[in-house]
Amino acid sequence: MAAKKILFLVGDFAEDYEVMVPFQTLLTVGHTVHAVCPDKKAGQTIKTAIHDFEGDQTYTEKPGHNFTLNASFAEVREADYDALMIAGGRAPEYIRLNPRVIAIVRHFAETHKPIAAICHAAQVLAAASVISGKRISAYAACAPEVRLAGATYVETPPDGAITDGNFVTGFAWPAHPQWLAQFLTLLGTKIEL
């Protein structure tokens, strides 16, 4: 398997599991992952949030871990990367306002490189206008934005994910097994036991 170089967009109050689990999983199987956040440098941290489904009308939120970035946002050259991953949680609602984030996402979409987005990360895809005509899964509260961006919102179970072309999207962190497996398939990663 050829190791891939993956750009990972995160931000303060990204969902803890949606940062930690994919980051560690992709490193474990041999890929290089550069986690970046607008206006932050390598060595700085983001605060994460733990979102859980506890029977309320929406998810609950608790403080998560601090996550140390390993690359600087200002130094990103998207052409150097093979794929893009975007964490969910609350970060997408504000990182999508950054013009550079939008340009990065559009690069990956226009060059048909794999893009993995989980939960609220669909907000970034919608803001970048790159999902028209695609089938996209996301947290249910993002369905109106997905539809307004011209995509078909696919209501998956919480542990579900889908692939449409170069996009792999999932409902939320319970979808990690399917979401990561589908992303690894797009990356050409083969794991032998």
Side-chain angles (χ1 to χ4, degrees):
M1 169 198 93
K4 303 290 184 181
K5 191 173 178 184
I6 301 160
L7 182 63
F8 191 15
L9 293 175
V10 300
D12 282 319
F13 302 104
E15 208 293 323
D16 189 90
Y17 286 170
E18 294 169 7
V19 174
M20 302 289 189
V21 173
F23 181 79
Q24 293 172 344
T25 299
L26 293 168
L27 290 176
T28 298
V29 300
H31 296 301
T32 298
V33 183
H34 287 166
V36 300
C37 173
D39 303 320
K40 293 197 179 197
K41 298 176 183 177
Q44 292 183 307
T45 61
I46 60 164
K47 292 180 180 180
T48 68
I50 296 172
H51 294 141
D52 211 347
F53 307 99
E54 300 176 305
D56 301 298
Q57 291 179 326
T58 188
Y59 55 84
T60 59
E61 183 174 271
K62 299 163 187 71
H65 298 90
N66 286 337
F67 175 80
T68 302
L69 303 167
N70 65 348
S72 298
F73 184 79
E75 297 172 7
V76 168
R77 292 175 27 146
E78 52 269 41
D80 293 344
Y81 293 91
D82 300 302
L84 174 68
M85 185 166 45
I86 310 170
R90 288 204 345 251
E93 74 185 30
Y94 72 87
I95 69 169
R96 66 183 169 167
L97 302 176
N98 184 298
R100 183 73 179 107
V101 167
I102 297 303
I104 289 168
V105 173
R106 286 180 177 160
H107 164 82
F108 284 91
E110 291 165 1
T111 56
H112 305 289
K113 294 178 182 179
I115 298 172
I118 191 85
C119 196
H120 286 76
Q123 293 177 312
V124 178
L125 301 178
S129 301
V130 296
I131 55 174
S132 181
K134 297 289 184 187
R135 298 175 67 244
I136 300 294
S137 176
Y139 185 64
C142 299
E145 290 171 85
V146 168
R147 291 182 184 116
L148 286 169
T152 299
Y153 175 74
V154 178
E155 188 174 331
T156 60
D159 62 351
I162 61 168
T163 299
D164 187 346
N166 60 316
F167 290 88
V168 178
T169 54
F171 179 85
W173 59 262
H176 279 155
Q178 283 192 41
W179 181 67
L180 286 168
Q182 291 177 38
F183 188 48
L184 290 170
T185 296
L186 277 186
L187 295 173
T189 308
K190 294 187 191 307
I191 300 172
E192 296 181 21
L193 301 175

